[in-house]
């Protein structure tokens, strides 16, 4: 039940940070009696209360389990039990790299790199398929978003500079 | 206000290639836009708006209506196949749709969503064509107090949604409500939690939260998991048979009714109706335990609801000129651009516009089955590719789509951050759904609550004076009590069983 | 409007203009393509305004006009986009009071002070309306009710010109009224029609359907003069309350616009407002032409902004 204790602490921290930020809301006479800060205050309080109850329950459960002499926390049958958290976070980092790269490298190049990087990271066999999928995918998405739908995607500062 | 003036008008409209073509093109365009995450129904419509300026007004309006129908349906495709709601209103479809997909029943799930969408659209169109006048007055019955009560009824569902821990569900809902408070305050106009970032001034888009929590979390979870499950779905699309349709009937009726109400009243634009009918379907289902584990009814209810909205949302637009959602606001723009003024006189002055709107919608709805059967196998084939490539393409699709929301990488960063939040929530066994419900409903609940109190000068009696509010709040109270009692009974039963062993 | 969409670029239909008989040669212009930026979504107020305008402008200025929707941040992003553009007459922004309010309330990095007002074209008519079958026949009835008990007034947006109008009227009449803000005129219209609100304050454009159908009654306008198309609707000032407002609609560009550009616009806008076809169109939409040339427009905007800032400071919405 240790997990719940940590979760409770994180929730309490969120409630605290949120509460502190309420101070940045301007006070306006255009507002009503509840005010712009009304609901946020209630939410911060509610979340803090939930967090405290959750932590208290986690502590009590651990104690009760200890007293009973049983294992502290029974390992539950867990679908995420074999999860590799660093691997999952790595995938997110690739996404973050895309976000940083996008304004500079432009849409087409960034998407191609993203597809290639993810495919490689997820263990695709090193072959011509990776670059082929990357180029094909970038072309496909460019055709759908930019050409067909006509929505804007960044052209890329570096690419533009190089072209002109 | 006849549906179509004469029989020959019908024949002319049906055989005259333009309308037929316009309807199918609009539908296909709508499905494409709706299926791309981040491109909502309203954006899909807005993207074709400039092309309609040069068209014949009757055709232009029919085109926009068909795009709307297609987009509301299209959102369910990625919801089922890649756990990414294509539009806000398809978020509820993710729950059981993706679950069925994981069980290798993607073809069945897609077939149910296709047919439910068709039923919802047909029902909505029927209401629009036959009952515009009486229904438009129903829209007027909703006051700020009623909206508040409606939102509370929606939130009350969390009581049964918490999964293994009610407390965790509640915490997730509160965080969702917190996300909904970001942006400009609906009553006073001051900014809240924007920290000087202009991208936050108009709030956090629900679709960013949904894509982060559903799609990115799933990608991360698959990446982190060592036991890789390869989806081996047959690409055959299985339309539900008579037997299945009978099972789904109850949930589809619920979807039709809630979709009708949601369409009439300004607000969520389909997403509230989808969530509420999902919950009602579970409440009234003969097999509620299947919900969340791949229930067919769990797809039928929200998909019927959001497709019904696509037609019934036109009722307040055509009768009052009031757009009840962003999508109908675009349609209003289309009408105004052609010098057409929605309202009672539109029916008298421009009956050909109304006729082609109805007939075009009908063609699109029927064509939806054909278009679906053609494109869906290709979609299933794509998600059957090896996981490394599938993940790469999904990731690229999500990030491309979200960028188009505001032309800003800020939304991308936000979605990634929410993906992280969702991943840790999954590890800590927090349910995601209450959080999304909080994001979707928070704005409506807060603004209508405060608006009601401004009206009454702080007197809470105003909530009791509105019969609709009393009814809805009573239902919410009953539901919460009922769910808690059931949970308590079940907890006691398990305890007793443990004691016996 | 919560949803946003940006970067939707649509070419104006200059092709269609070839069929019009030209009264005079279009004025020579240093730019081939002129981008008109709006913060409103496709189909929204400013978007419709720009698209209509761009249809007729090509007759008077020798350039292609393109409308670009830069949504998000209640106009902050659109202002930033134009402020950062070159001041050569290639990019303009469609001004409405919204950009002043956003600049003051949200304190974005680029504000109205970073733009140079070009010309004004229209004044939208702000009106007070009630449901036709309701108890109020004149503005005085509404004020009397607010005096004896408590009024329920609607304003279409939280911190906006309509809200300001409502607050000022309340003060001028010295009455007690709850001012209920909404998110858009449609929302408020339903509450006026179902009797939740005594009156609503909004733009006349959004009421056209209801006026035509005879569902709402106009009680007064906040315009300085009566609306030409509605001569029997008195102004608020005539009714005895000293409040009048101008909801302007015009164009602004980046700082430092060259003279040859501003001169062309002064002449062309004046001419386009006289264009018979365009005139017919905007009169239908109850827009009142209110031409303010480049020489006077900046002072007009500054004055408007100062008044607004004073109001917002007084209420505490801005420190």
């Amino acid at each position: 039940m240790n997990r719940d204790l940590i979760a409770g602490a994180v929730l309490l921290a969120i409630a605290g940070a949120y509460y502190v930020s309420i101070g940045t809301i301007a006070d306006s006479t255009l507002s009503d009696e509840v005010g712009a800060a009304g609901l946020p205050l209630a939410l911060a309080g509610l979340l803090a209360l939930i967090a405290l109850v959750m932590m208290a329950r986690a502590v009590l459960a651990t104690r009760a389990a200890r007293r009973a002499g049983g294992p502290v926390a029974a390992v539950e049958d867990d679908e995420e039990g074999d999860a590799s958290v660093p691997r999952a976070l790595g995938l997110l980092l690739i996404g973050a790299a895309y976000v940083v790269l996008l304004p500079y490298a432009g849409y087409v190049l960034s998407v191609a790199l993203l597809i290639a990087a993810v495919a490689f990271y997820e263990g695709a066999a090193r072959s011509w398929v990776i670059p082929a999928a990357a180029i094909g995918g970038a072309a496909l998405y460019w055709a759908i978003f930019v050409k067909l739908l006509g929505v804007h995607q960044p052209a890329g500062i570096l690419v533009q500079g190089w072209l002109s | 206000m006849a549906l179509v003036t004469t029989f020959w008008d019908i024949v002319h409209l049906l055989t005259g290639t333009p309308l037929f073509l316009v309807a199918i093109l609009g539908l296909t365009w709508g499905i494409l836009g709706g299926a791309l995450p981040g491109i909502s129904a309203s954006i899909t419509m807005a993207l074709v708006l400039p092309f309609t300026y040069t068209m014949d007004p009757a055709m232009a309006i029919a085109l926009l209506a068909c795009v709307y129908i297609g987009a509301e349906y299209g959102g369910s495709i990625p919801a089922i196949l890649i756990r990414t709601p294509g539009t806000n209103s398809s978020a509820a479809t993710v729950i059981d749709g993706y679950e069925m997909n994981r069980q290798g029943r993607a073809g069945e799930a897609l077939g149910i969503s296709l047919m439910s969408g068709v039923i919802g659209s047909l029902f909505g169109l029927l209401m629009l064509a036959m009952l515009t006048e009486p229904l438009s007055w129903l829209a007027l019955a909703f006051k700020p107090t009623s909206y508040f009560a409606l939102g509370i009824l929606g939130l009350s569902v969390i009581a049964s949604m918490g999964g293994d821990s009610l407390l965790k569900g509640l915490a997730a809902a509160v965080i969702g409500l917190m996300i909904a408070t970001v942006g400009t305050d609906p009553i006073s106009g001051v900014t809240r939690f924007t920290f000087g970032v202009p991208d936050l001034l108009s709030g956090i888009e629900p679709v960013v939260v949904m894509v982060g929590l559903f799609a990115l979390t799933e990608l991360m979870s698959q990446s982190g998991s060592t036991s890789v499950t390869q989806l081996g779905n047959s690409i055959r699309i299985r339309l539900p048979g008579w037997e299945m349709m009978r099972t789904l009937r109850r949930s589809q009726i619920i979807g039709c009714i809630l979709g009708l109400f949601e369409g009439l009243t300004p607000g969520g634009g389909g997403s509230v109706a989808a969530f509420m009918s999902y919950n009602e379907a579970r409440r009234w289902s003969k097999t509620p335990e299947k919900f969340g584990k791949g229930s067919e009814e769990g797809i039928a209810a929200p998909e019927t609801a959001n497709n019904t909205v696509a037609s019934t949302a036109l009722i307040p637009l055509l009768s009052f000129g009031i757009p009840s959602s962003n999508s109908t606001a675009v349609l209003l723009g289309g009408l105004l651009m052609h010098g057409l003024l929605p309202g009672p006189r539109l029916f008298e002055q421009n009956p050909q516009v109304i006729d082609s709107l109805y007939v075009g919608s009908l063609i699109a709805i029927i064509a939806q089955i054909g278009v679906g059967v053609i494109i869906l196998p290709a979609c299933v084939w794509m998600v059957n590719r090896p996981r490394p490539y599938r993940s790469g393409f999904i990731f690229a699709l999500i990030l491309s789509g979200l960028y188009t929301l505001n032309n800003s990488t800020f939304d991308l960063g936000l979605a990634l951050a929410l993906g992280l939040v969702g991943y840790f929530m999954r590890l800590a066994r927090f349910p995601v759904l209450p959080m999304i419900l909080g994001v979707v409903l928070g704005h409506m609940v807060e603004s209508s609550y405060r608006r009601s109190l401004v009206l009454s000068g702080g007197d809470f009696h105003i909530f009791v004076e509105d019969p609709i509010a009393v009814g809805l709040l009573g239902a919410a109270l009953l539901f919460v009590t009922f769910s808690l009692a059931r949970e308590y009974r079940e907890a006691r039963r398990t305890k007793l069983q443990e004691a016996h062993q | 409007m919560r949803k946003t969409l940006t970067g939707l670029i649509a070419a104006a239909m200059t092709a269609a203009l070839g069929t019009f008989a030209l009264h005079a040669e279009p004025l020579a212009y240093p730019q081939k393509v002129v981008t008109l930026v709006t913060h409103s979504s496709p189909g929204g107020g400013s978007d419709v305004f720009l698209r209509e305008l761009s249809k007729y402008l090509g007759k008077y200025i020798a350039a292609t006009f393109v409308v670009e929707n830069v949504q998000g941040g209640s106009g902050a992003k659109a202002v930033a986009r134009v402020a950062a553009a070159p001041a050569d007459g290639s990019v303009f922004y469609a001004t409405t009071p919204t950009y002043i309010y956003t600049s003051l309330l949200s304190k974005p990095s680029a504000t109205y002070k970073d733009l140079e007002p070009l010309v004004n074209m229209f004044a939208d008519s702000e009106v007070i309306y009630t449901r036709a079958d309701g108890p109020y026949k004149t503005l005085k009835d509404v004020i009397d009710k607010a005096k004896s008990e408590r009024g329920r007034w609607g304003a279409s947006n939280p911190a906006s010109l309509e809200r300001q109008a409502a607050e000022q009227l309340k003060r001028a009449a010295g009455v007690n009224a709850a001012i209920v803000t909404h998110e858009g005129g449609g929302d408020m219209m339903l509450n006026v029609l179902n009797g939740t609100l005594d009156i609503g304050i909004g733009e006349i454009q959004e009421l056209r359907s209801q006026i035509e159908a005879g569902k709402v009654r106009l009680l007064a306008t906040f315009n300085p003069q009566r609306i030409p198309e509605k001569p029997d609707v008195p102004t608020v000032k005539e009714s005895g309350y000293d409040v009048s407002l101008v909801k302007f609609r015009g164009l602004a560009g980046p700082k430092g616009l060259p003279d040859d550009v501003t001169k062309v616009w002064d002449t062309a806008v004046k001419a386009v407002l006289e264009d018979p076809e365009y005139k017919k169109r905007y009169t239908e939409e109850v827009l009142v032409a209110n031409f303010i040339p480049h020489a006077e427009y900046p002072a007009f905007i500054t004055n408007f902004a100062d008044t607004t800032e004073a109001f917002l400071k007084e209420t505490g919405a801005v420190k």
Side-chain angles (χ1 to χ4, degrees):
Chain A
M1 282 294 123
N2 219 355
R3 219 189 251 173
D4 280 2
L5 194 62
I6 298 171
V10 171
L11 289 180
L12 197 61
I14 293 175
Y18 187 77
Y19 179 77
V20 170
S21 320
I22 293 174
T24 61
I25 300 175
D27 217 11
S28 162
T29 52
L30 288 182
S31 199
D32 51 327
E33 282 169 48
V34 179
L39 178 72
L41 276 172
L43 291 176
L46 189 58
L47 190 64
L49 185 72
I50 293 170
L52 290 175
V53 172
M54 195 178 277
M55 287 162 76
R57 270 176 49 162
V59 170
L60 287 179
T62 318
R63 264 199 206 151
R66 274 217 192 102
R67 213 170 293 148
V72 172
V75 179
E76 297 160 54
D77 137 63
D78 198 338
E79 88 180 88
E80 301 294 332
D82 59 348
S84 157
V85 180
R87 263 206 76 79
L89 296 186
L91 190 74
L92 209 60
L93 274 183
I94 297 178
Y98 170 83
V99 174
V100 174
L101 193 65
L102 186 63
Y104 300 99
Y107 179 66
V108 177
L109 187 59
S110 306
V111 163
L113 287 174
L114 175 70
I115 293 174
V118 173
F120 184 72
Y121 185 75
E122 297 286 291
R126 282 188 216 186
S127 71
W128 58 271
V129 186
I130 294 185
I135 293 167
L140 177 73
Y141 284 148
W142 177 79
I144 292 177
F145 283 99
V146 181
K147 281 287 129 187
L148 186 60
L149 291 181
V151 294
H152 179 76
Q153 293 280 0
I157 298 166
L158 292 178
V159 177
Q160 269 178 332
W162 177 68
L163 284 176
S164 60
Chain B
M1 204 181 61
L3 173 58
V4 175
T5 349
T6 65
F7 170 75
W8 286 109
D9 283 352
I10 306 178
V11 174
H12 175 76
L13 285 167
L14 281 174
T15 51
T17 30
L19 183 61
F20 186 74
L21 220 68
V22 155
I24 292 184
L25 281 177
L27 177 87
T28 315
W29 175 274
I31 294 177
L32 174 72
L36 294 170
I39 301 195
S40 62
S42 55
I43 296 179
T44 312
M45 291 165 78
L47 286 169
V48 293
L49 191 59
F51 299 106
T52 64
Y53 297 157
T54 46
M55 289 170 74
D56 171 60
M59 291 300 142
I61 303 310
L63 177 71
L64 287 169
C66 295
V67 173
Y68 192 11
I69 292 171
E72 282 297 348
Y73 162 66
S76 72
I77 300 172
I80 290 169
L81 289 176
I82 57 174
R83 207 171 190 253
T84 307
T87 54
N88 282 341
S89 55
S90 56
T93 312
V94 167
I95 311 159
D96 283 287
Y98 187 69
E99 202 52 47
M100 280 182 79
N101 177 21
R102 285 218 315 195
Q103 296 163 5
R105 293 156 71 203
E108 208 183 320
L110 289 168
I112 289 168
S113 110
L114 181 62
M115 286 314 289
S116 302
V118 168
I119 288 172
S121 302
L122 279 176
F123 172 76
L125 182 61
L126 198 70
M127 291 294 115
L128 174 66
M130 301 295 172
L131 298 173
T132 298
E133 184 72 27
L135 286 174
S136 68
W137 293 104
L138 199 64
L140 284 182
F142 267 68
K143 300 184 170 176
T145 40
S146 333
Y147 285 110
F148 167 72
L150 187 68
I152 292 295
L153 181 63
L155 286 177
S156 76
V157 163
I158 292 165
S160 69
M161 232 187 221
D164 46 359
S165 162
L166 183 64
L167 211 53
K168 285 180 175 175
L170 217 52
V174 171
I175 294 177
L177 291 170
M178 285 176 165
I179 292 176
T181 60
V182 175
T184 305
D185 177 55
I187 304 294
S188 68
V190 300
T191 57
R192 301 192 290 192
F193 310 110
T194 53
F195 310 107
V197 182
D199 298 82
L200 286 176
L201 282 179
S202 46
I204 295 174
E205 304 268 352
V207 69
V208 175
V209 181
M210 290 172 188
V211 166
L213 293 183
F214 280 134
L216 285 173
T217 298
E218 177 67 15
L219 285 180
M220 288 172 72
S221 180
Q222 283 180 9
S223 175
S225 169
T226 41
S227 58
V228 176
T229 42
Q230 178 63 40
L231 298 177
N233 270 307
S234 157
I235 62 163
R236 239 190 82 211
I237 303 305
R238 289 182 47 204
L239 296 179
W242 284 121
E243 199 60 34
M244 178 54 74
M245 283 309 255
R246 259 228 305 277
T247 323
L248 298 178
R249 197 171 49 196
R250 197 188 293 245
S251 51
Q252 283 166 340
I253 291 173
I254 289 170
C256 283
I257 294 170
L258 289 171
L260 174 64
F261 278 97
E262 165 100 42
L264 289 177
T265 53
S271 43
V272 178
F275 270 110
M276 291 189 67
S277 49
Y278 178 81
N279 294 304
E280 292 311 312
R282 178 166 68 170
R283 202 178 300 186
W284 298 99
S285 170
K286 282 187 185 134
T287 52
E289 68 282 353
K290 273 176 75 184
F291 277 72
K293 301 188 181 78
S295 165
E296 296 88 353
E297 291 171 276
I299 297 173
E303 281 308 309
T304 313
N306 62 30
N307 279 281
T308 306
V309 170
S311 297
T312 53
L314 303 189
I315 294 176
L317 177 71
L318 294 180
S319 48
F320 299 122
I322 293 174
S324 62
S325 65
N326 295 307
S327 310
T328 40
V330 178
L331 198 54
L332 175 63
L335 286 165
L336 293 178
M337 207 65 82
H338 284 287
L340 299 167
L341 201 56
R345 293 188 57 191
L346 180 66
F347 291 88
E348 297 154 25
Q349 291 174 339
N350 301 84
Q352 79 286 357
V353 172
I354 303 291
D355 289 352
S356 79
L357 172 70
Y358 292 164
V359 176
S361 299
L362 186 65
I363 296 171
I365 294 165
I366 295 165
Q368 185 174 312
I369 304 174
V371 174
V373 168
I374 294 168
I375 61 165
L376 288 175
C379 298
V380 182
W381 180 85
M382 282 193 277
V383 294
N384 273 345
R385 297 308 92 212
R387 191 169 64 98
Y389 293 105
R390 191 181 66 220
S391 291
F393 274 77
I394 293 174
F395 212 158
L397 178 68
I398 292 169
L399 293 179
S400 308
L402 287 184
Y403 183 84
T404 61
L405 275 178
N406 288 311
N407 266 2
S408 146
T409 51
F410 182 83
D411 286 328
L412 302 186
L414 202 60
L416 291 175
L418 283 157
L420 190 67
V421 171
Y423 185 66
F424 282 117
M425 282 174 72
R426 194 182 264 209
L427 287 184
R429 296 172 164 278
F430 275 78
V432 161
L433 217 53
M435 186 159 157
I436 291 188
L437 214 57
V439 174
V440 170
L441 292 174
H443 185 74
M444 179 164 110
V445 171
E446 186 193 8
S447 60
S448 53
Y449 175 76
R450 288 170 59 190
R451 211 165 278 150
S452 306
L453 287 184
V454 171
L455 275 168
S456 71
D459 185 355
F460 286 92
H461 280 105
I462 190 168
F463 293 105
V464 193
E465 284 157 12
D466 175 9
I468 298 181
V470 171
L472 293 174
L473 286 174
L477 191 68
L478 269 178
F479 180 53
V480 171
T481 326
F482 182 71
S483 320
L484 292 183
R486 194 178 54 193
E487 208 129 297
Y488 177 72
R489 267 204 312 274
E490 264 165 32
R492 240 180 60 173
R493 195 182 307 143
T494 30
K495 231 176 214 172
L496 280 175
Q497 275 171 351
E498 275 169 11
H500 276 296
Q501 277 165 2
Chain C
M1 180 124 325
R2 302 247 301 166
K3 291 289 152 44
T4 53
L5 158 74
T6 52
L8 170 64
I9 302 173
M13 288 149 297
T14 41
L17 293 174
T19 53
F20 290 116
L22 298 186
H23 299 289
E25 279 295 298
L27 295 164
Y29 195 68
Q31 302 295 329
K32 277 205 184 76
V33 177
V34 178
T35 307
L36 303 173
V37 177
T38 170
H39 59 255
S40 102
S41 52
S46 288
D47 179 69
V48 175
F49 158 66
L50 284 183
R51 285 181 202 278
E52 292 264 303
L53 174 66
S54 63
K55 275 191 214 171
Y56 299 95
L57 264 182
K59 271 201 238 179
Y60 300 96
I61 298 178
T64 306
F65 294 90
V66 171
V67 178
E68 184 180 329
N69 304 78
V70 181
Q71 287 168 255
S74 317
K77 295 181 87 170
V79 170
R81 152 94 172 84
V82 176
D88 54 5
S90 60
V91 180
F92 293 102
Y93 171 70
T95 59
T96 65
T98 306
Y99 92 117
I100 309 275
Y101 279 90
T102 302
S103 295
L104 293 170
L105 283 166
S106 313
K107 308 212 163 49
S109 54
T111 69
Y112 70 91
K113 288 180 182 149
D114 299 296
L115 295 185
E116 181 174 329
L118 179 67
V119 285
N120 195 59
M121 299 190 62
F122 295 111
D124 293 14
S125 302
E126 293 280 356
V127 292
I128 301 176
Y129 67 97
T130 186
R131 64 188 200 279
D133 50 2
Y136 312 105
K137 307 283 181 242
T138 62
L139 182 58
K140 194 172 166 299
D141 295 346
V142 176
I143 300 289
D144 284 346
K145 193 236 169 181
K147 262 191 187 137
S148 58
E149 31 191 318
R150 188 160 167 279
R152 292 172 164 192
W153 299 357
S156 56
N157 285 294
S160 60
L161 195 62
E162 292 85 14
R163 179 75 193 264
Q164 190 174 337
E167 296 285 349
Q168 286 177 347
L169 177 62
K170 184 173 149 185
R171 202 173 309 166
V175 293
N176 178 22
I179 296 172
V180 189
T181 53
H182 294 74
E183 281 145 288
D187 232 8
M188 179 173 70
M189 164 77 72
L190 285 177
N191 281 333
V192 172
L193 289 178
N194 69 20
T196 306
L197 295 170
D198 301 339
I199 52 164
I201 296 171
E203 277 177 47
I204 197 167
Q205 281 92 322
E206 294 179 326
L207 307 174
R208 282 161 61 213
S209 302
Q210 304 305 319
I211 295 171
E212 242 187 67
K215 302 272 189 229
V216 301
R217 175 182 300 130
L218 299 182
L219 295 179
T221 171
F222 280 104
N223 289 13
Q225 282 95 34
R226 291 192 179 204
I227 305 164
E229 286 73 40
K230 307 270 173 211
D232 48 342
V233 177
T235 67
V236 173
K237 211 167 177 173
E238 286 169 4
S239 310
Y241 312 101
D242 189 13
V243 185
S244 75
L245 297 161
V246 178
K247 185 157 191 176
F248 59 86
R249 205 176 265 286
L251 295 170
K255 278 237 143 136
L257 294 168
D259 281 348
D260 58 334
V261 167
T262 58
K263 267 187 197 134
V264 168
W265 280 93
D266 268 345
T267 322
V269 167
K270 211 169 177 178
V272 81
L273 285 173
E274 294 297 321
D275 185 289
E277 271 176 72
Y278 188 45
K279 196 166 190 170
K280 181 170 168 281
R281 201 62 197 261
Y282 70 71
T283 311
E284 260 173 32
E285 287 165 29
V286 214
L287 282 168
V288 181
N290 185 1
F291 176 68
I292 302 175
H294 181 64
E296 296 158 31
Y297 200 33
F300 172 85
I301 294 284
T302 312
N303 179 36
F304 184 93
D306 289 346
T307 318
T308 307
E309 191 170 10
F311 167 73
L312 290 174
K313 273 202 173 133
E314 202 182 321
T315 58
V318 170
K319 286 201 182 76

